Amino acid sequence: MTTPVRFAYADTAPSRAEGSRLAYAPITLRHRTHLVTVTGLLDSGSTVNVLPYALGLQLGFVWDQQPTRVQLTGSLARLPARGVIVSSQVSSFPPVELAFAWTQSTEVPMILGQVNFFMEFDVCFFRSQAAFEINPKDKTN
């Protein structure tokens, strides 16, 4: 059994009240020879992981070479998206394969959602403490 890693909420607008603190997790993404360390917004209300366009380019993806079209929903429904798989590592946990909806938008953050970040990791939010913990899923069950 692994020990969860605790992270502090990020203050996205220091001049505003505590409501501007959000759960951003540091994560390292790898696709072939490309490696990028970024932060992703943990969004338990998001159905899928979302990868912004510029980040996909940094990872070496080519839009026209991604045949899998993905239909986003909610506020992102108007954006075209393609499905991509990225090797991803949180802290010192073993890498996992995450599926992303790579969107052509440069105005969305990287979102870590239900499919499949929350399927690979257990996350516990301690909002009153402005902290959260991440632990890889228990693969023995």
Side-chain angles (χ1 to χ4, degrees), residues 6-96:
R6 191 173 186 111
F7 300 96
Y9 274 57
D11 198 354
T12 59
S15 62
R16 292 195 301 182
E18 282 190 35
S20 65
R21 293 183 181 167
L22 297 173
Y24 277 93
I27 187 168
T28 300
L29 306 175
R30 177 187 300 271
H31 175 68
R32 296 185 181 148
T33 61
H34 302 276
L35 184 73
V36 180
T37 299
V38 294
T39 57
L41 176 63
L42 294 177
D43 185 352
S44 62
S46 178
T47 306
V48 298
N49 301 322
V50 178
L51 188 69
Y53 189 68
L55 192 50
L57 293 177
Q58 288 178 39
L59 288 168
F61 289 111
V62 176
W63 184 263
D64 293 332
Q65 293 176 1
Q66 306 311 314
T68 306
R69 294 179 189 268
V70 177
Q71 180 61 53
L72 295 172
T73 61
S75 62
L76 303 179
R78 62 180 169 68
L79 302 174
R82 300 282 200 267
V84 295
I85 305 295
V86 179
S87 177
S88 308
Q89 186 172 14
V90 174
S91 189
S92 61
F93 300 138
V96 297

Side-chain angles (χ1 to χ4, degrees), residues 3-8 126 129-134:
T3 302
V5 175
R6 191 173 186 111
F7 300 96
F126 302 96
Q129 300 172 33
F132 60 96
E133 291 179 348
I134 298 178

